[in-house]
Amino acid sequence: MSDLVNRFNLTLAASTVACGFLLYSLLKSKDEQIAVGNPTDIKRKFGKDIRENDFCYDRNLFILDHGSYGGVPRQVLKVMFDYLEKVERNPFQWNLYQVLHHWRASVACVSELVGSSTDNLTFVLNATAGVITALRSVKFSPSDGILINNLTYPSMKYAAQEIAEETGCKVYCIDFTFPIHNSEEVVEKYRQMFDEHPNIKFAIIDYIISSSAMLMPVKPIIELAKERNIISFIDGAHAPGQLELRLDELGCDYFTGNMHKWAFTPRGCAIFYANPRIRSQTRSLIISHYRHRGFELDFYRQGTRDYSVQLCASAGVDYLHRIGGLSEVRRHNMALREEAMNYIERELKGARRLQIPADMEAPFMGIFELNDHKYDITDEGADNLRKDLYKKHSVE
């Protein structure tokens, strides 16, 4: 499993940046731009000007890995700073009487974006906090099982392993190999695993696998889990702002997704969705004064903390709407991604796209295997590649 993960670590991720930050291959001149799409207004809206005017990135920096840390528009940063200043004017009034109103407004705004009832949605620190929250809300016994796969994000895997160590339950793993010819192959692997191990109680299912930029067929997998009374947890770390979500219709038990990657929110904010059928048993990781006052207040009031990042999630969504909305950004980014993928495949010696069907390619992300390189296929080799990309080409 680690060899496959290291292999994917040693790849070039062509990840288009939300709002159209221009992509460059390693060989592309810094003065050249990739022109995508015919309408001039789109190129003007999503091109160089919006990067320089709305974002704080170093002008000489070229970002291929936008999915790690995202980008926060200046307009959203201003909202966050305004909240921080408002708190300091009167911390007592803010914490006791004002912040809950802003929290609810932010949850409502994000709920609309992701297709969720406000009753089912809250904020957590990040997707990792989301999975451990869900796992610790379920009672496991030594006879139970938790399902992951060999490309599951490491922190998700470690969370499952820790629960297994504490409770004695077993962790099962689906092994994916490439090429994958169609999504039915993936669904069938889940069907076989569920049938071979009927003790599986909790399944961690990726929406977009970050190490492979692979979009998973989550809907039929959720249906398989539901038929067998298996709790389905969707790791949607890359989903908000990249996918058109309808969480109430999706049918999963739990869903988590980071808002900082593609939804213009400061780092430290993720959504956490709990289906009504399981919401009453779901508890926040932190026990505070509102522990026994329901799902919303349990996750909202967790001692004295900084709420500004979560409150800014609505500002990130507002920014997304102001620049044209999710459908417009998706249309632009998907065209830009394909243009960049074609360019890199053509110009970079030995670059080969991951062998997956087109309907399993993430909209804003892409992975290349580099066969002609000098780097060891290890974590250290991947880190050396990253350092060289930055030092020699100003690429992150």
Side-chain angles (χ1 to χ4, degrees), residues 176-177 179-190 360:
F176 289 116
T177 57
I180 292 176
H181 300 97
N182 54 65
S183 61
E184 287 75 17
E185 292 181 18
V186 174
V187 176
E188 185 58 30
K189 281 184 175 290
Y190 277 91
M360 291 184 64

Side-chain angles (χ1 to χ4, degrees), residues 341-380:
M341 294 281 282
N342 289 337
Y343 184 90
I344 294 173
E345 194 171 34
R346 183 175 67 248
E347 299 292 337
L348 195 58
K349 182 180 178 182
R352 186 180 67 172
R353 297 191 192 205
L354 183 65
Q355 295 174 292
I356 57 176
D359 64 350
M360 291 184 64
E361 294 178 352
F364 298 175
M365 302 161 62
I367 291 291
F368 288 96
E369 182 179 1
L370 300 179
N371 294 312
D372 184 11
H373 59 78
K374 63 180 182 180
Y375 303 95
D376 294 333
I377 304 179
T378 61
D379 287 340
E380 183 179 1

Side-chain angles (χ1 to χ4, degrees), residues 29 56 61 73 133 149 162-163 165 186 242 246 251 259 263-265 276 290 339 354 361-362 364 391:
S29 165
C56 302
L61 181 65
T133 297
N149 67 69
E162 181 167 302
I163 294 297
E165 291 170 3
V186 174
Q242 180 171 184
R246 298 290 182 270
M259 292 295 291
F264 304 113
T265 300
Y290 289 2
E339 178 79 11
L354 183 65
E361 294 178 352
F364 298 175
K391 292 178 180 178

Side-chain angles (χ1 to χ4, degrees), residues 46-72:
F46 295 139
K48 181 179 179 181
D49 289 344
I50 199 171
R51 169 179 169 144
E52 293 183 352
N53 293 331
D54 289 3
F55 293 84
C56 302
Y57 287 118
D58 187 312
R59 155 173 317 208
N60 296 316
L61 181 65
F62 303 115
I63 298 177
L64 294 182
D65 181 16
H66 188 71
S68 287
Y69 303 112
V72 187

Side-chain angles (χ1 to χ4, degrees), residues 109-110 113 259 263-265 312-322:
C109 181
V110 175
L113 175 71
M259 292 295 291
F264 304 113
T265 300
C312 279
S314 59
V317 174
D318 288 343
Y319 180 82
L320 176 63
H321 291 325
R322 287 201 303 271

Side-chain angles (χ1 to χ4, degrees), residues 86-104:
K86 185 178 181 64
V87 175
E88 297 309 318
R89 290 196 193 108
N90 191 327
F92 299 90
Q93 291 296 310
W94 172 259
N95 283 285
L96 292 175
Y97 306 115
Q98 296 173 0
V99 66
L100 180 57
H101 166 75
H102 295 283
W103 171 278
R104 284 172 170 163

